[in-house]
Amino acid sequence: MAAKDLYEKDFFAILGVPKDADAATIKKTYRNLARELHPDKTRGDKKLEDRFKEVSEAYDILGDEKKRAEYDEARSLYESGAF
């Protein structure tokens, strides 16, 4: 992932979960969205396919403890003006 993504994208908003959401909530939300947006279900809809990719990318970061910690740190530095 590019460093730019760490501070510019709000992966919590993409998944629709609060910033203090626990791992179980993030996983459940992701699975529901993935089922709803999966390309096999939404054949031919480019917009929904792109949304599925965004949701998958967000879960890739937020679903992994180490990546989420790095993301949270980068976001807090960005918001405080350190970047």
CSV table of all heavy atoms in Angstrom, one decimal, residues 5-27:
chain,number,residue,atom,x,y,z
A,5,ASP,N,-2.2,6.3,0.7
A,5,ASP,CA,-3.4,5.7,1.1
A,5,ASP,C,-3.6,5.6,2.6
A,5,ASP,O,-4.7,5.6,3.1
A,5,ASP,CB,-3.4,4.2,0.6
A,5,ASP,CG,-3.6,4.2,-0.9
A,5,ASP,OD1,-4.0,5.2,-1.5
A,5,ASP,OD2,-3.3,3.1,-1.5
A,6,LEU,N,-2.5,5.5,3.3
A,6,LEU,CA,-2.6,5.4,4.8
A,6,LEU,C,-3.2,6.7,5.4
A,6,LEU,O,-3.8,6.6,6.4
A,6,LEU,CB,-1.2,5.2,5.4
A,6,LEU,CG,-0.7,3.8,5.3
A,6,LEU,CD1,0.8,3.7,5.8
A,6,LEU,CD2,-1.5,2.8,6.1
A,7,TYR,N,-3.0,7.8,4.8
A,7,TYR,CA,-3.6,9.0,5.5
A,7,TYR,C,-4.7,9.7,4.7
A,7,TYR,O,-5.4,10.5,5.2
A,7,TYR,CB,-2.5,10.0,5.8
A,7,TYR,CG,-1.6,10.5,4.7
A,7,TYR,CD1,-2.0,11.6,3.9
A,7,TYR,CD2,-0.4,9.9,4.4
A,7,TYR,CE1,-1.3,12.0,2.9
A,7,TYR,CE2,0.4,10.4,3.4
A,7,TYR,CZ,-0.1,11.4,2.6
A,7,TYR,OH,0.7,11.9,1.6
A,8,GLU,N,-4.9,9.4,3.4
A,8,GLU,CA,-5.9,10.0,2.7
A,8,GLU,C,-7.2,9.3,2.6
A,8,GLU,O,-8.3,9.9,2.6
A,8,GLU,CB,-5.4,10.3,1.2
A,8,GLU,CG,-4.4,11.4,1.2
A,8,GLU,CD,-4.1,11.9,-0.2
A,8,GLU,OE1,-4.5,11.2,-1.2
A,8,GLU,OE2,-3.5,12.9,-0.4
A,9,LYS,N,-7.2,8.0,2.6
A,9,LYS,CA,-8.4,7.2,2.6
A,9,LYS,C,-8.9,6.9,4.0
A,9,LYS,O,-8.1,6.5,4.9
A,9,LYS,CB,-8.2,5.8,1.9
A,9,LYS,CG,-8.0,6.0,0.4
A,9,LYS,CD,-7.9,4.6,-0.3
A,9,LYS,CE,-7.7,4.8,-1.8
A,9,LYS,NZ,-7.6,3.4,-2.4
A,10,ASP,N,-10.2,7.0,4.2
A,10,ASP,CA,-10.8,6.7,5.5
A,10,ASP,C,-11.5,5.3,5.3
A,10,ASP,O,-12.6,5.2,4.9
A,10,ASP,CB,-11.9,7.8,5.8
A,10,ASP,CG,-12.4,7.6,7.2
A,10,ASP,OD1,-12.1,6.5,7.9
A,10,ASP,OD2,-13.2,8.4,7.7
A,11,PHE,N,-10.7,4.3,5.7
A,11,PHE,CA,-11.2,3.0,5.5
A,11,PHE,C,-12.3,2.7,6.4
A,11,PHE,O,-13.2,1.8,6.1
A,11,PHE,CB,-10.0,2.0,5.8
A,11,PHE,CG,-9.0,2.0,4.7
A,11,PHE,CD1,-7.6,2.1,5.0
A,11,PHE,CD2,-9.3,1.9,3.3
A,11,PHE,CE1,-6.7,2.2,4.0
A,11,PHE,CE2,-8.4,2.0,2.3
A,11,PHE,CZ,-7.0,2.1,2.7
A,12,PHE,N,-12.4,3.3,7.6
A,12,PHE,CA,-13.6,3.1,8.5
A,12,PHE,C,-14.9,3.6,7.8
A,12,PHE,O,-15.9,2.9,7.9
A,12,PHE,CB,-13.4,3.9,9.8
A,12,PHE,CG,-12.2,3.3,10.6
A,12,PHE,CD1,-11.0,4.0,10.6
A,12,PHE,CD2,-12.4,2.2,11.3
A,12,PHE,CE1,-10.0,3.5,11.4
A,12,PHE,CE2,-11.3,1.6,12.1
A,12,PHE,CZ,-10.1,2.3,12.1
A,13,ALA,N,-14.8,4.7,7.1
A,13,ALA,CA,-16.0,5.3,6.4
A,13,ALA,C,-16.3,4.4,5.2
A,13,ALA,O,-17.5,4.2,4.9
A,13,ALA,CB,-15.7,6.7,5.9
A,14,ILE,N,-15.3,3.8,4.5
A,14,ILE,CA,-15.6,2.9,3.4
A,14,ILE,C,-16.4,1.7,3.9
A,14,ILE,O,-17.3,1.3,3.2
A,14,ILE,CB,-14.3,2.5,2.7
A,14,ILE,CG1,-13.7,3.7,2.0
A,14,ILE,CG2,-14.5,1.4,1.7
A,14,ILE,CD1,-12.3,3.5,1.4
A,15,LEU,N,-16.0,1.2,5.0
A,15,LEU,CA,-16.7,0.0,5.5
A,15,LEU,C,-18.0,0.4,6.3
A,15,LEU,O,-18.9,-0.4,6.5
A,15,LEU,CB,-15.9,-0.8,6.5
A,15,LEU,CG,-14.8,-1.7,5.9
A,15,LEU,CD1,-14.0,-2.4,6.9
A,15,LEU,CD2,-15.4,-2.7,4.9
A,16,GLY,N,-18.1,1.7,6.7
A,16,GLY,CA,-19.3,2.1,7.4
A,16,GLY,C,-19.2,1.7,8.9
A,16,GLY,O,-20.3,1.4,9.5
A,17,VAL,N,-18.1,1.6,9.5
A,17,VAL,CA,-17.9,1.3,10.9
A,17,VAL,C,-17.3,2.4,11.7
A,17,VAL,O,-16.6,3.2,11.1
A,17,VAL,CB,-17.1,0.0,11.1
A,17,VAL,CG1,-17.8,-1.2,10.5
A,17,VAL,CG2,-15.7,0.2,10.6
A,18,PRO,N,-17.5,2.5,13.0
A,18,PRO,CA,-16.9,3.6,13.8
A,18,PRO,C,-15.4,3.3,13.9
A,18,PRO,O,-15.0,2.2,13.8
A,18,PRO,CB,-17.6,3.5,15.1
A,18,PRO,CG,-18.2,2.2,15.2
A,18,PRO,CD,-18.5,1.7,13.8
A,19,LYS,N,-14.6,4.3,14.2
A,19,LYS,CA,-13.2,4.2,14.4
A,19,LYS,C,-12.8,3.3,15.5
A,19,LYS,O,-11.7,2.7,15.5
A,19,LYS,CB,-12.5,5.6,14.5
A,19,LYS,CG,-12.7,6.4,13.3
A,19,LYS,CD,-11.9,7.7,13.4
A,19,LYS,CE,-12.2,8.7,12.3
A,19,LYS,NZ,-11.9,8.3,11.0
A,20,ASP,N,-13.6,3.1,16.5
A,20,ASP,CA,-13.3,2.3,17.6
A,20,ASP,C,-13.9,0.9,17.5
A,20,ASP,O,-14.0,0.1,18.5
A,20,ASP,CB,-13.8,2.9,18.9
A,20,ASP,CG,-15.3,3.1,19.0
A,20,ASP,OD1,-15.9,3.0,17.9
A,20,ASP,OD2,-15.8,3.5,20.1
A,21,ALA,N,-14.3,0.5,16.3
A,21,ALA,CA,-14.9,-0.8,16.0
A,21,ALA,C,-14.0,-1.9,16.3
A,21,ALA,O,-12.8,-1.8,16.0
A,21,ALA,CB,-15.4,-0.9,14.6
A,22,ASP,N,-14.5,-3.0,16.9
A,22,ASP,CA,-13.6,-4.1,17.2
A,22,ASP,C,-13.5,-5.0,16.0
A,22,ASP,O,-14.2,-4.8,15.0
A,22,ASP,CB,-14.1,-4.9,18.4
A,22,ASP,CG,-15.5,-5.6,18.2
A,22,ASP,OD1,-16.1,-5.2,17.2
A,22,ASP,OD2,-15.9,-6.4,19.0
A,23,ALA,N,-12.6,-6.0,16.0
A,23,ALA,CA,-12.3,-6.9,14.9
A,23,ALA,C,-13.5,-7.7,14.4
A,23,ALA,O,-13.7,-7.8,13.2
A,23,ALA,CB,-11.2,-7.8,15.2
A,24,ALA,N,-14.3,-8.1,15.4
A,24,ALA,CA,-15.5,-8.9,15.0
A,24,ALA,C,-16.5,-8.0,14.3
A,24,ALA,O,-17.1,-8.5,13.3
A,24,ALA,CB,-16.2,-9.5,16.3
A,25,THR,N,-16.7,-6.8,14.7
A,25,THR,CA,-17.6,-5.9,14.0
A,25,THR,C,-17.1,-5.6,12.6
A,25,THR,O,-17.9,-5.6,11.6
A,25,THR,CB,-17.8,-4.6,14.8
A,25,THR,OG1,-18.3,-4.9,16.1
A,25,THR,CG2,-18.7,-3.6,14.1
A,26,ILE,N,-15.9,-5.3,12.4
A,26,ILE,CA,-15.3,-5.1,11.1
A,26,ILE,C,-15.4,-6.3,10.2
A,26,ILE,O,-15.8,-6.1,9.0
A,26,ILE,CB,-13.8,-4.7,11.3
A,26,ILE,CG1,-13.7,-3.3,11.9
A,26,ILE,CG2,-13.1,-4.7,9.9
A,26,ILE,CD1,-12.3,-2.9,12.3
A,27,LYS,N,-15.2,-7.5,10.7
A,27,LYS,CA,-15.3,-8.7,9.9
A,27,LYS,C,-16.7,-8.9,9.5
A,27,LYS,O,-17.0,-9.2,8.3
A,27,LYS,CB,-14.8,-9.9,10.7
A,27,LYS,CG,-14.7,-11.2,10.0
A,27,LYS,CD,-14.1,-12.2,10.8
A,27,LYS,CE,-13.9,-13.5,10.0
A,27,LYS,NZ,-13.2,-14.6,10.8
